[in-house]
Structures are given as structure tokens and as C-alpha cells.
Amino acid sequence: MRLSLLVFLLIFNFIGFSQEGNPLETDIVINEHIEGSLLLPVGGQSDYLAIIIAGSGPTDRNGNQNFLKSNNLKKLAQSLAQENIASFRYDKRIVKQIRKGNVDKNIMFDDFVTDASSVINYFSEKNQFKSIYVIGHSQGSLVGMMSISDEVSGFISLAGAGQSIDVVITEQIQKMAPGLTEDAKKTFEILKKGETTTDYPPALASVFNIDTQPFISNWMQYQPKEIISKVDIPILIVNGTKDLQVSVEEANQLKEANPKAQLVIIENMNHVLFIIEGDDLENSKSYNESFRPISTDLVEAISSFIKH
């Protein structure tokens, strides 16, 4: 009863824009773990709702982390509102815990799938929108495809991997520090068994922190290609040619796994959805450059997919 009352109060005592001519943003609590922002187009109505799921790390509803502020997911929501598409974006549960200084070290990848499913169920029960679409960015792509239910009309993968996360990380290490590749493979083999280890080079400590190893073990058991192959609703797969984290080949693998999916490759778009004309240095710096606009081709592709 207390939670229901809290949800009621937060829905109707919101902080947002109510002036005529501006999108209407409402803060909503889904449950004890998840809260986010519902952004409605001008006029306050839409047939379509896009649920936006963030990528890896302690990422908030706007697509930001402590020292990386791009506001890319907020900009995506705002751009969709201009196309008369409502959206709900939310803080990952660890963000709320960090703010309260009470982080649960036992968080698993499966918990993120549970959270996404809770959001989908919340809005499907409200019956406010004719169609619900799931947009998963990066890690959120796998989370999204695993949370799809009968209430979802379509799925959009943004910079989502086609291979399991251990393979993706190993390939990244191969490109950046080839000498550490075999050490990474050996460590992943241990994690596959559900075990933990400290027997890896210090240079790989940021990848294999002992506290996050159980999370990685949980995450790496899922094969995105296998999961998306069983998704029987319209699918849009989007990747950029300047993505430093998830290559176009990953998008191609998702497409091969589900040939009915629509594939859009955006020239010069990077992992945080910005267009990069320069080199890798400009690309990396853009992760913390919130003044940049997101790709207009991306917005067009998503809005067209949702409306048609």
C-alpha cells in the first residue's frame, strides 16, 4: 500500500514542462528499484511508447555516468517527442543505489532483465499507448531482447553486440593490447565455470575486478544471436561505422541470426550516437561532450520504423 501511494503521488506531483508548445516530462516510480522519466510529445498524447534501456555501467536515464556526460538518451527521447513518439527512460538500479550510498554487490545481469520486464509490464497494464516499442542501447540491446513480451510491438537494437560479452571484450583486447589476449581468454574460461580468480595481469584489473566477476559470469552465458533469432516481432538493428566498442560486424551477425530484421548502418555514427568526422581522439572525447546532437539519420530510422 505504501508503494502504491508513493507511485500515485509521484505520477501526479511531477516536475516537468506543462507549458503549451513543450513536451511534457513526468517522473515515475516503477518499483523500489526503478524510476525514470516519461516524455510525452506536445499535446500530451501519442499512440506510441518507446522504452529506452541504457547500456553498461552505472548509466542514468539520460545516458550519463559520473565522468561521462553525453545526454545521448535524453536527446533521443527529446528527438522522438518531436516525431510524436512518447518515451520512457530510466536509471539503472545501481544508479539509485550509488546515490543512496548502498550498492548491492550481488547485482546480476538478470536483474537488469527483470527491471526492463517490470517497466514493460507497468505500461502495458496502464493501457495508455496503442503500441509499445523497446529500444536497447549497447548492453541494453541484450537486456531488451530478453525482456520482450506479448505486449511489445517492436524491438530496436542500438549498438548491440551479436556475440556473447566475453567474445566481444576479447576482440577489443586483441585490437588494443594483443599481448593480453590469451590471459583474457584463460580468465573467461574460469568465469564460464562460475568460479572467480585473481590470476590475471594487473593491466586487466579494470575488466576482471573480483567484485564484478560474478556479474560477468552471469552476463556472458547469454548469446545475443541465439536470443534474437527467436524474436518474432519487427526488429530494427542500428549501428554506426565509427563505433569504437561495438563493430558493424556485430550488427551484421544479429541480422544474419534474424533475416527478417531491418538493418541500418549509419555512416560516422559512434557508440554514443554522435556523428564523428575526425579521428579516434575526437571520438573518445565526444563521450563527455553533451553539446553534440545525436544523429538525425538515427532519429529518422527509429521514428520511421515505429510509425510504419
Side-chain angles (χ1 to χ4, degrees):
M1 292 299 291
R2 290 180 180 176
L3 183 57
S4 298
L5 178 60
L6 179 59
V7 172
F8 178 87
L9 291 174
L10 282 168
I11 290 175
F12 290 99
N13 293 280
F14 56 81
I15 299 174
F17 298 99
S18 58
Q19 298 93 339
E20 184 178 352
N22 289 320
L24 181 69
E25 186 161 285
T26 308
D27 289 341
I28 294 179
V29 172
I30 301 297
N31 56 36
E32 62 179 321
H33 299 297
I34 296 300
E35 53 189 75
S37 298
L38 175 65
L39 186 63
L40 297 173
V42 174
Q45 293 184 338
S46 176
D47 289 338
Y48 317 103
L49 173 70
I51 295 173
I52 301 173
I53 305 173
S56 58
T59 311
D60 68 16
R61 69 189 73 182
N62 295 326
N64 302 327
Q65 298 183 22
N66 281 346
F67 302 106
L68 294 174
K69 186 175 182 180
S70 67
N71 276 332
N72 62 334
L73 300 186
K74 180 178 181 179
K75 292 173 184 177
L76 176 58
Q78 292 171 333
S79 297
L80 292 177
Q82 295 299 318
E83 298 293 332
N84 203 38
I85 297 171
S87 64
F88 180 77
R89 62 192 196 278
Y90 60 93
D91 301 328
K92 294 177 70 173
R93 67 162 65 188
I94 193 171
V95 173
K96 187 174 183 179
Q97 293 174 2
I98 290 174
R99 288 171 180 165
K100 291 187 174 182
N102 185 25
V103 176
D104 180 3
K105 293 184 178 180
N106 295 317
I107 289 179
M108 294 291 154
F109 177 84
D110 289 341
D111 292 320
F112 296 148
V113 179
T114 297
D115 293 340
S117 297
S118 297
V119 173
I120 293 169
N121 292 338
Y122 176 91
F123 284 104
S124 63
E125 290 174 2
K126 290 292 181 183
N127 201 28
Q128 182 180 356
F129 304 95
K130 291 182 180 180
S131 302
I132 295 177
Y133 289 78
V134 171
I135 302 176
H137 177 247
S138 191
Q139 182 194 75
S141 170
L142 178 56
V143 172
M145 68 179 77
M146 290 180 64
S147 64
I148 289 171
S149 63
D150 293 338
E151 291 76 19
V152 177
S153 298
F155 170 65
I156 301 165
S157 170
L158 300 185
Q163 304 176 91
S164 59
I165 191 59
D166 56 310
V167 176
V168 174
I169 292 176
T170 300
E171 289 183 354
Q172 290 177 350
I173 292 172
Q174 174 70 44
K175 293 176 182 177
M176 298 172 62
L180 297 173
T181 304
E182 290 305 314
D183 292 299
K185 288 181 179 179
K186 290 177 183 178
T187 306
F188 278 125
E189 285 301 319
I190 295 172
L191 299 187
K192 280 183 182 179
K193 300 175 185 178
E195 302 172 1
T196 59
T197 180
T198 56
D199 185 19
Y200 51 80
L204 292 176
S206 61
V207 178
F208 297 115
N209 182 296
I210 191 68
D211 291 333
T212 60
Q213 286 183 22
F215 177 90
I216 296 174
S217 296
N218 182 214
W219 185 3
M220 63 191 282
Q221 71 178 292
Y222 297 113
Q223 299 285 344
K225 290 184 294 186
E226 293 180 7
I227 295 167
I228 202 169
S229 69
K230 300 172 184 176
V231 175
D232 193 25
I233 56 176
I235 300 171
L236 172 64
I237 301 167
V238 185
N239 219 95
T241 62
K242 285 286 184 75
D243 194 319
L244 296 174
Q245 295 175 243
V246 180
S247 68
V248 169
E249 177 56 29
E250 298 294 327
N252 289 332
Q253 292 198 34
L254 290 176
K255 167 67 173 176
E256 290 172 7
N258 195 318
K260 293 181 180 180
Q262 179 182 346
L263 175 63
V264 174
I265 304 300
I266 299 177
E267 190 70 21
N268 292 331
M269 187 178 79
N270 73 356
H271 192 69
V272 291
L273 316 180
F274 296 154
I275 297 298
I276 302 298
E277 300 293 349
D279 58 13
D280 287 354
L281 178 59
E282 178 191 346
N283 198 336
S284 300
K285 287 174 61 179
S286 73
Y287 282 55
N288 196 35
E289 294 179 337
S290 59
F291 63 85
R292 290 178 178 266
I294 64 169
S295 165
T296 54
D297 288 341
L298 172 66
V299 176
E300 181 180 347
I302 292 176
S303 60
S304 178
F305 173 78
I306 288 177
K307 292 178 179 179
H308 302 104

